[in-house]
């Protein structure tokens, strides 16, 4: 973030100020002092053509050849038909890159950001081939409700069933404390006892205590404050970002429609998995990248308008940066690069890097 802000402000301003220093022949360390040409330097400059060494003469000859070639090349570029071909070529290339940019997709695998010889790549392949288990296993949480109430309990069971009906899950949880609790109450004949007493008896069973002591949280009075159930998303491909985003929205819709959540500022029934955070990023990454690009180009153009000596520089900066950015995205797509968290950061930083050359040329041009 600091580098990005530096590129937007301080760096460009220093370029402009340094160019002014050079034009005024001021020293780079003490800008308050100007460079004075002494008599010895003047005599040397006058006599140097006659006293050049052979190496200097060769270097001057090379420089003359280079400048001669550049003048010829420049005159050729300024021919009307050549300018038309060059402009048409760049516009055509920009169009192809724009088309390629529209084909960009989101995809991410952590093995792409580790060294090619890392053991993690082989480990991930082995887990994928032989593990047989999904890496996405969210918990369903219940809170802020009376979990001893039979109506609420039915809503909890319905919520879990609705969650399991998702294509991403398709398998009921291995252990659900509420179902086991109901079976226990019915089998022990303690239906008429208060809920707190029923829970005491349920958790007094060693097997149930070992299973559910970490998923049921009770207060001092014995009521259940928070509980959870573990489910597995067996059908979610860790490399399919679009599927992950769809699953994120689907589970969110289930939570929004749960009776216990309607009209509540905080969900009483909801699911959570650490991967939801990155899925949320995937869901907004494209729109955020578009917005960041537009803001970046606008800020760069505004800085050019303020700091570059002539206002017309903005007419060169904005279109050129935009075209270069589209070209960059298009080439990335041709190279098989996908949009992900790492590439998002790189693309945002690239806005500041793209402007360096454009502004250097703009502020130096007469």
């Amino acid at each position: 973030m600091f580098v990005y802000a530096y590129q937007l402000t301080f760096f460009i301003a220093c370029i402009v100020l340094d160019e002014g220093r050079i034009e005024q022949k001021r020293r780079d360390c003490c800008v308050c002092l100007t460079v004075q040409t002494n008599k010895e330097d003047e005599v040397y400059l006058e006599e140097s053509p006659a006293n050049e060494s052979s190496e200097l003469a060769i270097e001057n000859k090379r420089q003359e050849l280079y400048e001669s070639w550049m003048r010829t090349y420049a005159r050729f570029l300024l021919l009307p038909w050549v300018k038309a071909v060059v402009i048409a070529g760049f516009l055509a290339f920009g169009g192809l890159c724009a088309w390629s940019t529209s084909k960009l997709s989101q995809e991410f695998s952590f093995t792409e950001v580790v060294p090619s010889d890392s053991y993690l790549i082989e480990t991930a392949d082995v887990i994928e081939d032989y593990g047989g288990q999904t890496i996405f296993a969210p918990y369903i949480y219940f809170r802020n409700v009376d979990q001893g109430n039979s109506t609420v309990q039915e809503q909890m069971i319905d919520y879990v069933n609705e969650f399991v009906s998702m294509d991403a899950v398709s398998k009921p949880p291995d252990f659900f404390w509420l179902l086991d609790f109901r079976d226990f109450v019915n089998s022990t004949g303690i239906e008429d006892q208060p809920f707190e007493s029923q829970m005491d008896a349920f958790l007094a069973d060693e097997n149930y205590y070992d299973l559910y002591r970490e998923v049921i949280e009770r207060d001092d009075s014995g009521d259940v404050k928070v509980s959870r159930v573990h489910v597995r998303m067996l059908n979610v491909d860790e490399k399919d970002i679009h599927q992950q985003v769809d699953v994120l929205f689907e589970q969110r819709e289930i939570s929004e429609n749960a009776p216990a959540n309607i009209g509540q500022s905080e969900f009483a029934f909801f699911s959570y998995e650490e991967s939801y955070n990155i899925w949320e990023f995937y869901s907004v990454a494209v729109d955020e990248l578009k917005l960041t690009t537009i803001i970046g180009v606008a800020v760069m153009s505004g800085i050019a308008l303020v700091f570059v000596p002539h206002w017309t520089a903005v007419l060169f900066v904005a279109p050129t940066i935009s075209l270069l950015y589209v070209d960059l995205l298009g080439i990335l797509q041709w190279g098989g690069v996908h949009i992900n968290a790492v590439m998002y950061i790189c693309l945002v930083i690239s806005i500041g890097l793209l402007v360096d050359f454009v502004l250097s040329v703009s502020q130096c041009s007469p």
Side-chain angles (χ1 to χ4, degrees):
M1 183 61 68
F2 173 78
V3 174
Y4 184 52
Y6 177 86
Q7 292 283 347
L8 289 178
T9 55
F10 183 72
F11 180 74
I12 299 172
C14 285
I15 292 177
V16 177
L17 294 175
D18 188 62
E19 184 66 20
R21 176 193 65 79
I22 295 173
E23 291 178 354
Q24 298 176 19
K25 296 182 178 180
R26 296 184 178 275
R27 297 187 181 275
D28 52 356
C29 295
C30 298
V31 294
C32 58
L33 302 177
T34 57
V35 178
Q36 300 294 334
T37 304
N38 56 41
K39 294 182 178 180
E40 293 180 357
D41 291 336
E42 294 176 354
V43 171
Y44 174 77
L45 292 173
E46 293 175 357
E47 296 178 352
S48 59
N51 299 326
E52 286 180 346
S53 64
S54 59
E55 294 182 358
L56 185 58
I58 294 173
E59 183 63 28
N60 288 340
K61 185 64 175 178
R62 289 177 179 173
Q63 184 67 21
E64 291 176 2
L65 290 174
Y66 171 76
E67 292 179 356
S68 175
W69 182 86
M70 288 300 296
R71 283 193 295 268
T72 303
Y73 180 65
R75 285 194 294 267
F76 176 75
L77 283 179
L78 291 177
L79 293 175
W81 68 271
V82 175
K83 290 191 291 184
V85 170
V86 171
I87 294 174
F90 273 101
L91 291 177
F93 181 73
L96 288 174
C97 288
W99 173 82
S100 178
T101 300
S102 67
K103 302 297 182 180
L104 274 171
S105 60
Q106 294 190 78
E107 183 177 317
F108 178 72
S109 174
F110 82 94
T111 56
E112 296 179 357
V113 296
V114 299
S116 58
D117 58 348
S118 174
Y119 72 92
L120 290 175
I121 297 178
E122 184 177 354
T123 302
D125 293 337
V126 171
I127 293 175
E128 183 177 354
D129 293 338
Y130 301 105
Q133 295 292 333
T134 179
I135 63 173
F136 305 119
Y139 275 101
I140 296 175
Y141 290 86
F142 307 102
R143 64 178 183 181
N144 301 336
V145 291
D146 181 8
Q147 300 189 33
N149 184 284
S150 59
T151 301
V152 173
Q153 291 180 357
E154 290 296 332
Q155 293 177 357
M156 293 166 62
I157 295 174
D158 291 341
Y159 181 83
V160 172
N161 291 336
E162 187 73 17
F163 199 89
V164 171
S165 67
M166 296 170 56
D167 294 336
V169 182
S170 73
K171 180 183 177 182
D174 297 328
F175 303 100
F176 185 11
W177 74 268
L178 183 55
L179 297 180
D180 288 341
F181 170 76
R182 286 189 164 188
D183 291 340
F184 176 83
V185 170
N186 294 330
S187 63
T188 55
I190 57 174
E191 296 93 338
D192 297 334
Q193 294 186 15
F195 175 71
E196 293 78 7
S197 299
Q198 294 174 346
M199 284 299 302
D200 290 338
F202 176 67
L203 294 177
D205 186 290
E206 183 178 351
N207 293 325
Y208 292 134
Y209 178 77
D210 291 339
L211 277 175
Y212 300 121
R213 61 181 177 181
E214 295 183 355
V215 301
I216 299 176
E217 181 180 345
R218 306 174 69 189
D219 57 20
D220 296 336
S221 63
D223 290 331
V224 177
K225 294 175 55 180
V226 180
S227 65
R228 63 182 182 178
V229 57
H230 198 213
V231 296
R232 298 184 181 276
M233 294 182 171
L234 299 175
N235 302 324
V236 179
D237 186 352
E238 63 175 313
K239 297 181 180 180
D240 190 341
I241 290 178
H242 295 287
Q243 182 191 25
Q244 295 168 13
V245 173
D246 291 340
V247 171
L248 176 69
F249 289 146
E250 185 177 1
Q251 65 83 28
R252 184 178 297 169
E253 183 179 0
I254 292 174
S255 297
E256 290 173 348
N257 294 329
N261 293 335
I262 296 177
Q264 302 296 320
S265 58
E266 291 185 347
F267 283 174
F269 299 172
F270 65 95
S271 69
Y272 178 74
E273 216 275 350
E274 289 183 353
S275 297
Y276 284 4
N277 298 324
I278 192 65
W279 294 0
E280 182 71 23
F281 170 81
Y282 291 147
S283 68
V284 301
V286 175
D287 292 335
E288 287 296 320
L289 183 58
K290 293 177 182 177
L291 178 62
T292 302
T293 302
I294 294 173
I295 294 175
V297 173
V299 170
M300 294 294 186
S301 302
I303 291 175
L305 184 63
V306 174
F307 289 102
V308 178
H310 201 276
W311 67 268
T312 55
V314 71
L315 302 179
F316 297 94
V317 172
T320 305
I321 296 177
S322 301
L323 183 60
L324 288 174
Y325 198 71
V326 171
D327 291 347
L328 172 64
L329 293 175
I331 293 173
L332 288 176
Q333 195 277 331
W334 283 329
V337 177
H338 303 278
I339 299 297
N340 52 53
V342 177
M343 187 52 58
Y344 177 86
I345 301 299
C346 295
L347 290 173
V348 172
I349 294 176
S350 70
I351 300 176
L353 300 178
L354 287 174
V355 77
D356 288 351
F357 175 75
V358 176
L359 279 181
S360 297
V361 173
S362 299
Q363 67 93 20
C364 292
S365 299

